[in-house]
Amino acid sequence: FPIEVMAWQGKQIAQFSRDVAELRLRDARGDLAYIFLLTHLKSQISTDGDIRGKDVRTAEAFALSELYRRRRSENPGVPIMVGGDLNAELDSLELESLRHTDLRDFQDVIATPRTDRTTLVHFDYSGTPSHLVFDYLLVSPSLTDRIVADESGVYRYRGFYGEPEPLPENRAQRWLLPSDHYPLVVTLRRDPGTLFAAP
């Protein structure tokens, strides 16, 4: 899927850093029931001419928005979820095109406090932690009233006794976790009384 990268050197045609995976789920009759678009946008590692990957990430976000619009146009009644590690906060300039779609962050829908949305604890060169929200599940309008709030949110890794571990305070604590990112979990109500979990 081509992307147009606008950089100071001019426009360049490139591809997604890590592509977009598409999953289609069908109901018992074989009708299309859900579309999931999963991606991992360009990291914040700088390259020649692209400081912190912003130019490529902006182009990827624009292309992802267009891909979502295309799927919505082709399948107007089918719920769609777009998610992944976007490597930027949703209110950042590089993700602006996603904000101009009708997608909504499921965390906004269920009113998760900002302090509970951390999906990545980054440590700078001095070891100071930053609590970041880089991972998102964005839902099309038909899904907003189907999210089961008390079964959805950021999953916190659990310790030996099954209790959620606190966020790491240093690199050594982070290295003990299964991943440097925390997973997102959304439970959707498909039909009255029926639950469908989408990790």
Side-chain angles (χ1 to χ4, degrees):
F1 195 81
I3 62 171
E4 291 186 356
V5 181
M6 303 301 291
W8 66 270
Q9 307 97 321
K11 183 171 76 172
Q12 304 167 3
I13 303 299
Q15 293 180 338
F16 271 86
S17 304
R18 298 177 181 93
D19 217 343
V20 178
E22 181 172 344
L23 172 66
R24 293 178 173 220
L25 297 182
R26 299 186 181 277
D27 61 21
R29 296 183 307 272
D31 296 330
L32 188 58
Y34 297 94
I35 296 175
F36 298 93
L37 300 173
L38 183 66
T39 192
H40 187 162
L41 300 187
K42 170 70 177 77
S43 73
Q44 292 202 7
I45 297 173
S46 297
T47 58
D48 291 341
D50 190 2
I51 304 301
R52 303 195 69 181
K54 288 185 177 183
D55 293 338
V56 171
R57 197 164 45 254
T58 301
E60 289 174 334
F62 183 80
L64 182 62
S65 303
E66 290 304 305
L67 181 59
Y68 166 71
R69 286 188 181 97
R70 189 180 304 172
R71 293 299 180 262
R72 284 274 284 149
S73 175
E74 295 165 351
N75 309 280
V78 177
I80 301 175
M81 189 179 294
V82 177
D85 179 357
L86 304 186
N87 268 309
E89 301 265 348
L90 195 57
D91 61 0
S92 65
L93 187 58
E94 57 257 46
L95 301 185
E96 183 177 16
S97 60
L98 284 169
R99 293 194 309 276
H100 288 289
T101 66
D102 61 2
L103 289 165
R104 289 197 55 203
D105 180 359
F106 89 97
Q107 304 267 39
D108 290 339
V109 174
I110 63 175
T112 305
R114 169 70 190 191
T115 54
D116 295 339
R117 295 187 188 197
T118 298
T119 61
L120 171 68
V121 179
H122 172 74
F123 294 91
D124 64 16
Y125 290 110
S126 67
T128 303
S130 297
H131 296 181
L132 305 172
V133 183
F134 277 7
D135 302 88
Y136 292 91
L137 288 174
L138 309 175
V139 297
S140 59
S142 60
L143 291 176
T144 57
D145 62 350
R146 296 162 64 179
I147 298 172
V148 181
D150 60 353
E151 296 183 16
S152 303
V154 180
Y155 176 80
R156 296 290 178 229
Y157 299 117
R158 298 179 183 275
F160 183 77
Y161 294 104
E163 294 297 316
E165 293 284 341
L167 294 175
E169 297 177 3
N170 55 57
R171 287 188 187 96
Q173 291 177 351
R174 190 183 75 181
W175 290 332
L176 293 175
L177 298 175
S179 172
D180 58 340
H181 288 255
Y182 288 90
L184 300 175
V185 176
V186 174
T187 297
L188 301 174
R189 193 171 299 283
R190 182 175 50 193
D191 298 315
T194 304
L195 297 181
F196 172 77

